[in-house]
Amino acid sequence: MPAPNEITPAQLCRRIGLPDCPEIVDVCTDEDFTQDPFLIPSARRHDHRDLPGLLHRLTTPNVIV
């Protein structure tokens, strides 16, 4: 049973592009992104080593990292 703060990939796919879609943050490394340079639509990239900066950038309480 999923936790109350979890979302399945299928649930996320249904919400992408809708007004209630959570903010999506891609924290993969630059090296990984270079090998596979694709993002989920509307996702933003942010370095996983800069958590204070990430917290500053978030604009909604609904976030998927």
Side-chain angles (χ1 to χ4, degrees), residues 22-45:
E23 187 171 356
I24 303 169
V25 180
D26 181 349
V27 294
C28 71
T29 64
D30 289 338
E31 294 81 19
D32 288 340
F33 187 74
T34 300
Q35 291 179 8
D36 189 14
F38 298 98
L39 287 174
I40 295 172
S42 76
R44 295 189 304 168
R45 289 193 64 224

Side-chain angles (χ1 to χ4, degrees), residues 6-64:
E6 290 184 25
I7 185 171
T8 67
Q11 290 170 323
L12 176 60
C13 285
R14 286 193 299 271
R15 292 176 69 183
I16 290 176
L18 298 176
D20 68 337
C21 183
E23 187 171 356
I24 303 169
V25 180
D26 181 349
V27 294
C28 71
T29 64
D30 289 338
E31 294 81 19
D32 288 340
F33 187 74
T34 300
Q35 291 179 8
D36 189 14
F38 298 98
L39 287 174
I40 295 172
S42 76
R44 295 189 304 168
R45 289 193 64 224
H46 191 87
D47 189 332
H48 70 279
R49 296 166 289 201
D50 178 23
L51 291 180
L54 177 59
L55 293 174
H56 181 71
R57 283 184 64 182
L58 298 178
T59 60
T60 176
N62 298 320
V63 177
I64 294 178

